[in-house]
Amino acid sequence: MGKIVISTNATLDGVVQDPDGQEGFELGGWFHQFVGGKDLEDWAANETEELLGAEALLLGRRSGEWFESRMRDGAEIRVSREWADRMNSIPKYVVSSTLEHSQWSNTTVLNGAAVKEISELKRTVDGEILVYGSYQLVRTLTEQNLADELRLVVFPVVLGTGLRLFDETSDKKPLHLVDTRKIGDGLVLNTYEFVQG
């Protein structure tokens, strides 16, 4: 049985929008602005270890396209070569109602009934299914009680505005804190389990 793990970066006030500053959000670019070199080195090591331990990636269309464009030959690698190689080789599932196929290696497009296909994916994959970015998909996974764990790397800045990971939910979604640890000198990784039932 697969375990869906949402892994994301957010500001202290929960903003996930435009971390690299390439989306045109006026407060974008916070990922690199408020941390030091040790923070990013330790963050990259954590990301690489996490991806190497996963069995699959689950992405929304826009996040799938974003990662694919950065993994093509000659693209800038922001984490590590080992991470990039794993990104290209790991089985990937992209949820989209408009995309028919992907050029990215080992990618399957889920373009049917998303909840049914993701439920089937959980039954057939044995191990962690990582979700990067994909905030619309994250909300669906949360609403449908398909997410099992949240790994949230908190960056030391408050933006006051911007798209948040859980902007809209239909009801309370309790989580249980499993672990908290420092990454580098300024980042905090909080790991939560979604409380089902």
Side-chain angles (χ1 to χ4, degrees):
M1 181 80 164
K3 174 181 177 180
I4 293 183
V5 177
I6 298 164
S7 178
T8 196
N9 306 302
T11 66
L12 192 58
D13 56 341
V15 175
V16 293
Q17 185 175 2
D18 200 8
D20 63 1
Q22 295 181 9
E23 297 172 32
F25 174 49
E26 66 178 303
L27 301 176
W30 49 266
F31 183 92
H32 290 283
Q33 291 176 347
F34 303 99
V35 293
K38 179 165 176 35
D39 297 322
L40 294 179
E41 284 176 29
D42 289 356
W43 175 88
N46 180 72
E47 291 293 303
T48 300
E49 180 182 338
E50 177 180 68
L51 186 61
L52 292 174
E55 295 300 319
L57 273 177
L58 178 62
L59 303 165
R61 180 190 54 81
R62 282 182 284 181
S63 292
E65 290 172 347
W66 189 90
F67 280 109
E68 178 184 359
S69 71
R70 282 151 178 81
M71 293 298 111
R72 289 191 190 122
D73 292 342
E76 180 181 351
I77 306 303
R78 292 186 179 263
V79 178
S80 69
R81 171 51 60 190
E82 190 175 26
W83 181 87
D85 290 345
R86 182 64 174 151
M87 282 292 283
N88 285 320
S89 66
I90 195 170
K92 293 168 281 294
Y93 299 88
V94 176
V95 178
S96 174
S97 60
T98 58
L99 190 65
E100 292 185 23
H101 64 279
S102 173
Q103 299 299 317
W104 197 8
S105 60
N106 300 319
T107 300
T108 301
V109 176
L110 305 178
N111 55 10
V115 171
K116 182 179 178 186
E117 289 184 324
I118 294 167
S119 296
E120 181 61 26
L121 184 64
K122 280 186 76 167
R123 281 191 289 278
T124 57
V125 172
D126 187 24
E128 290 186 358
I129 304 165
L130 278 182
V131 181
Y132 284 156
S134 310
Y135 306 120
Q136 185 175 346
L137 174 60
V138 165
R139 290 184 186 113
T140 298
L141 294 170
T142 304
E143 286 292 315
Q144 298 298 319
N145 297 315
L146 290 169
D148 299 292
E149 188 171 293
L150 170 65
R151 295 178 188 154
L152 184 66
V153 178
V154 180
F155 281 64
V157 60
V158 173
L159 298 183
T161 188
L163 179 70
R164 288 170 170 76
L165 185 61
F166 299 113
D167 268 346
E168 297 178 22
T169 59
S170 62
D171 199 4
K172 298 178 195 81
K173 298 293 177 184
L175 292 97
H176 172 73
L177 181 65
V178 176
D179 187 45
T180 296
R181 68 181 172 91
K182 196 172 179 182
I183 295 179
D185 295 322
L187 303 176
V188 176
L189 170 61
N190 293 317
T191 302
Y192 299 92
E193 289 177 347
F194 284 88
V195 176
Q196 307 295 346

